[in-house]
Amino acid sequence: MLDDLVRKGSADGMTTLARFYLKDGDKGQKRTALDLLEKAVALGDGSAMRTLADVYIAGKETERDFAKAEALLDQAITQGIVAAYRGKAWLFLNMPDPRYDQAMYWMKEAASRGDARAMADVGSIYEQGKGVPADEGEARIWYEKSAELGDSSGARHFGQSLYMGTGGPRDVENGVKWLEKSAASGDTYAMRVLAYGYENGSGLPKDAVKAFEWFQKAADEGDEDAYLEVADRSYDGTGTTADAKKSFAWYFKAAESGSAKAQYCVGLMYERGEGTAQDSREAVHWLKAAAENGYIEAFAELGEMYANDANLPRNDGKSIDYLEKGAAADNATAMILLGIKYEDGDGVVRDYAKAIEWYEAAANKKSADAMYRLGTLYRGADGNLKDFGKALEWLTKAGAYGNAKAQYSLGDMYEYGQGVPIDRSKALSWFMMAAFKQYPEAMNAVGYYYQNGIGTKEDQTIARNWFQKAADAGSAAGALNLAWYYENGKDQDQAIAFQYYKKSAELNSAGGMFALGRFYDDGLGIAVNRQEAIKWYLRAADAGYRRAAYRLAYAYDATFSSDNAAENILLAIQQGDRQITDELKVFSPFTRTALKRSLSRRGLYDGSIDDEIDQPLKSALKSYAGSYGG
């Protein structure tokens, strides 16, 4: 229908179609919109003049031209176009050097002619104090006038002033009514105000679900700020079901709209394969876009990817370049990553001085992690760089900022007297601080201190509770100690002990592997299973648990694997176990015979290959032990 009006030369049709194209059209249609407006202006249409002036003021579809805009608005005003008065006010507000006094004059001219949106704008100028003394009370008066005339912006501002209590008494109930009225008219800002109100519980019942519903409504109406809010909450499940795919879709929409944070999040999700297929190259594309858009965290992520992403060719030059750009932009994470590179010699020549320089730069940004790393470097360094005094200084600073790893390290230093006198009470205090921050190894340490009455009164129940917390948080040592408690403590329960030895073993504790093997071997809390016992003894041995060979010898002997039993007798002796040589009579004749064969192959035994525990065998074992320092 509009096309028909345009073909018939209707200026009104041209203006209406042009506005539609400017709002929802593609690039070609937006160019057509300018042609239509020019034609309508030539036909003397005042509304077209005002709309074309807006285009010149915005400078999006064509080059910004304030002189042309002003001339068009002046023509429209002569025709009595009320909106042109407000347009002229916006002209003065958008100039490089805004003319607030003239803007206020023209805005009030529009308001005096019944322009409800202009009334809201007058209120906004008073609230912000642009060209006039800030006056929230006067602003509220103008907002109310606008709201009463049905303007959604006025309703939103008036509702917000009531809700927040700005410019007059706070009235949450009526404030929410006006905000809801504005939201019902499609004002997405009002929707977000309501969302934040429900989320924070400020004057409204705290309700994450309602908050999300309002964010979703705003996003569905095209509010770009709401895209991010919906994406964030869909990711972590605040007020809705966590949905990585939905989160990615909204981040992507916001990223395409130019949001730097969204571009960063899209990059991370491509990198991790969350909510979308993993794609490192797409991740780099979006992280670069975020970095170019001023989101400095993206520099650090790019630096990490070029060094460590298995799906990209390693490029240490690019990695360092991005990290240095991030550091130059004052990003503490980039500084720390540079420090790690120089400390470890990762992609650069190892240089402790540079590592310290970068860690200190990040520490000066109040980074507790950087302080912790400085303390750890000084504590663990070799030679002249080792400095327990500096380690204590930096770890104490990090601990004061709440860094749990630093607090745990301080507990260690006081426990072992590194740079300070041994003080188990102080050690426990630091361990306790880290434990309350859910640091697993600190929880285990607190449990150990209570179990053994170190720095505090012995309390087995408190010890067990802390071991339980540590185990639940994934501490292999915590699970091991909890298992020991149930095996040997006051609340003995072999079945529970078995479960926690198993958990400790699965968390790669050599002690847990050995104990689990022992439980399978002896039928403690579980039916005897020698093959499982052997499996876990072997894993314990591979992890460096020296007593495993002793137990393996017996387990192999019990399963008639005599050659393996003999080899583990020798391995136990090699590792310093002399007890086993006094227990040879316990082993089967087959294992003793295999032992003689093994010693004979080594050139240490030349007697009869039988099962007798004779002098030649004893001499051979003594010689074997002597070759390993026994």
Side-chain angles (χ1 to χ4, degrees):
M1 183 175 179
L2 284 175
D3 288 336
D4 289 339
L5 290 172
V6 170
R7 280 193 292 271
K8 291 176 181 177
S10 166
D12 185 55
M14 295 175 191
T15 303
T16 303
L17 184 59
R19 286 173 178 164
F20 174 77
Y21 283 159
L22 288 171
K23 184 176 183 292
D24 296 313
D26 57 29
K27 287 183 179 180
Q29 289 172 325
K30 288 180 180 181
R31 285 194 295 271
T32 299
L34 296 181
D35 293 336
L36 290 169
L37 289 172
E38 292 283 5
K39 289 177 181 178
V41 167
L43 292 171
D45 187 84
S47 293
M49 296 171 191
R50 194 268 177 175
T51 302
L52 186 56
D54 285 347
V55 172
Y56 282 125
I57 292 169
K60 289 182 180 179
E61 316 307 334
T62 188
E63 188 175 349
R64 179 173 275 182
D65 192 324
F66 292 112
K68 284 185 178 180
E70 187 169 15
L72 286 164
L73 290 167
D74 286 342
Q75 289 182 61
I77 287 170
T78 62
Q79 291 189 22
I81 304 298
V82 174
Y85 290 90
R86 181 169 173 267
K88 196 151 184 182
W90 277 106
L91 168 76
F92 291 118
L93 284 172
N94 283 279
M95 285 181 169
D97 183 15
R99 303 176 192 174
Y100 295 115
D101 55 341
Q102 293 188 56
M104 179 62 100
Y105 170 80
W106 286 104
M107 204 67 83
K108 283 187 173 180
E109 285 292 310
S112 70
R113 287 166 173 77
D115 188 323
R117 180 56 58 88
M119 295 174 192
D121 291 337
V122 170
S124 182
I125 293 172
Y126 273 118
E127 185 173 8
Q128 296 173 42
K130 290 183 175 180
V132 293
D135 190 332
E136 292 178 340
E138 187 69 14
R140 180 186 277 200
I141 291 169
W142 282 99
Y143 290 148
E144 184 174 9
K145 289 178 181 179
S146 174
E148 293 290 357
L149 289 173
D151 183 73
S152 62
S153 177
R156 181 242 298 171
H157 279 102
F158 183 49
Q160 194 169 10
S161 72
L162 290 169
Y163 176 72
M164 300 299 295
T166 55
R170 189 177 192 193
D171 184 343
V172 172
E173 184 179 355
N174 282 312
V176 168
K177 285 180 181 177
W178 280 106
L179 285 168
E180 288 177 344
K181 190 170 184 177
S182 176
S185 298
D187 190 304
T188 58
Y189 190 101
M191 297 175 193
R192 284 191 289 113
V193 171
L194 288 164
Y196 292 124
Y198 281 114
E199 186 166 70
N200 300 324
S202 176
L204 288 169
K206 198 164 188 176
D207 189 329
V209 173
K210 278 191 176 179
F212 182 80
E213 288 171 356
W214 279 113
F215 283 131
Q216 185 70 69
K217 287 177 182 178
D220 290 340
E221 289 293 326
D223 187 293
E224 294 176 8
D225 289 328
Y227 295 166
L228 269 177
E229 303 294 2
V230 170
D232 286 344
R233 287 154 186 79
S234 296
Y235 184 83
D236 63 23
T238 301
T240 186
T241 303
D243 186 335
K245 286 186 177 179
K246 181 176 179 180
S247 176
F248 176 81
W250 283 105
Y251 277 135
F252 197 86
K253 194 170 178 114
E256 289 188 314
S257 296
S259 165
K261 179 191 172 181
Q263 291 163 348
Y264 175 73
C265 291
V266 167
L268 289 183
M269 294 184 83
Y270 269 123
E271 181 185 359
R272 299 167 183 169
E274 291 182 321
T276 187
Q278 198 283 334
D279 191 326
S280 295
R281 295 189 183 280
E282 277 295 305
V284 168
H285 165 76
W286 285 105
L287 289 170
K288 283 182 176 178
E292 289 166 4
N293 210 359
Y295 203 82
I296 61 174
E297 287 84 351
F299 289 115
E301 198 65 33
L302 284 163
E304 276 280 84
M305 286 193 71
Y306 276 114
N308 299 313
D309 193 302
N311 299 304
L312 293 174
R314 184 177 176 115
N315 190 322
D316 290 314
K318 283 188 176 180
S319 175
I320 294 292
D321 181 55
Y322 276 114
L323 291 177
E324 287 180 343
K325 285 178 178 176
D330 280 343
N331 181 254
T333 301
M335 296 172 187
I336 291 169
L337 291 173
L338 283 167
I340 293 170
K341 280 187 170 292
Y342 282 109
E343 182 179 0
D344 296 343
D346 178 19
V348 293
V349 176
R350 177 172 283 161
D351 188 328
Y352 290 118
K354 282 189 176 180
I356 290 169
E357 178 185 334
W358 283 115
Y359 287 149
E360 286 184 345
N364 289 335
K365 298 287 178 189
K366 304 292 189 294
S367 167
D369 185 41
M371 297 171 192
Y372 164 72
R373 290 182 181 279
L374 274 168
T376 302
L377 191 157
Y378 281 120
R379 184 183 176 205
D382 297 323
N384 293 332
L385 191 58
K386 184 186 286 291
D387 188 327
F388 286 136
K390 286 185 177 179
L392 190 73
E393 175 191 348
W394 283 109
L395 289 171
T396 301
K397 287 180 179 179
Y401 274 100
N403 185 284
K405 291 184 287 187
Q407 291 166 345
Y408 178 75
S409 296
L410 286 163
D412 258 359
M413 293 187 76
Y414 279 104
E415 179 174 359
Y416 296 110
Q418 294 178 336
V420 290
I422 290 174
D423 189 329
R424 300 290 164 70
S425 293
K426 279 190 177 179
L428 178 59
S429 294
W430 282 110
F431 286 143
M432 191 71 80
M433 278 190 264
F436 280 122
K437 290 189 176 298
Q438 311 304 308
Y439 191 66
E441 300 314 318
M443 296 177 190
N444 177 62
V446 171
Y448 183 82
Y449 269 49
Y450 273 103
Q451 182 185 53
N452 296 283
I454 301 172
T456 187
K457 184 179 178 181
E458 179 186 331
D459 190 316
Q460 296 299 317
T461 302
I462 292 176
R464 180 200 63 201
N465 291 342
W466 278 110
F467 288 145
Q468 182 74 62
K469 289 175 186 288
D472 291 345
S475 166
L480 183 64
N481 283 326
L482 184 61
W484 187 95
Y485 173 86
Y486 280 113
E487 181 184 5
N488 304 291
K490 69 176 186 176
D491 301 320
Q492 291 186 19
D493 187 320
Q494 302 301 333
I496 295 178
F498 170 82
Q499 292 300 325
Y500 281 103
Y501 278 135
K502 188 171 188 291
K503 181 167 188 172
S504 179
E506 290 169 345
L507 289 168
N508 296 319
S509 162
M513 295 170 192
F514 176 77
L516 184 59
R518 180 167 57 80
F519 266 50
Y520 275 119
D521 206 358
D522 297 343
L524 300 173
I526 191 76
V528 171
N529 187 329
R530 291 270 159 62
Q531 293 306 318
E532 278 294 306
I534 289 169
K535 180 183 84 173
W536 286 105
Y537 286 148
L538 285 170
R539 287 190 61 180
D542 289 342
Y545 198 88
R546 297 173 74 85
R547 190 67 172 165
Y550 175 89
R551 274 281 185 162
L552 273 167
Y554 278 100
Y556 278 127
D557 183 69
T559 55
F560 309 106
S561 185
S562 302
D563 288 336
N564 285 329
E567 292 305 316
N568 276 282
I569 289 171
L570 294 176
L571 180 57
I573 293 169
Q574 178 183 327
Q575 292 175 348
D577 191 317
R578 299 296 173 259
Q579 178 184 348
I580 202 164
T581 57
D582 297 329
E583 299 174 357
L584 292 179
K585 62 184 177 182
V586 179
F587 289 91
S588 71
F590 304 105
T591 293
R592 291 196 297 270
T593 302
L595 182 61
K596 285 186 175 182
R597 280 198 303 268
S598 182
L599 289 166
S600 178
R601 286 194 299 271
R602 288 175 167 82
L604 296 173
Y605 178 79
D606 58 3
S608 300
I609 305 299
D610 54 30
D611 65 347
E612 294 297 319
I613 305 173
D614 51 23
Q615 190 57 46
L617 175 60
K618 292 178 182 179
S619 297
L621 290 171
K622 184 176 181 180
S623 177
Y624 182 81
S627 66
Y628 289 100

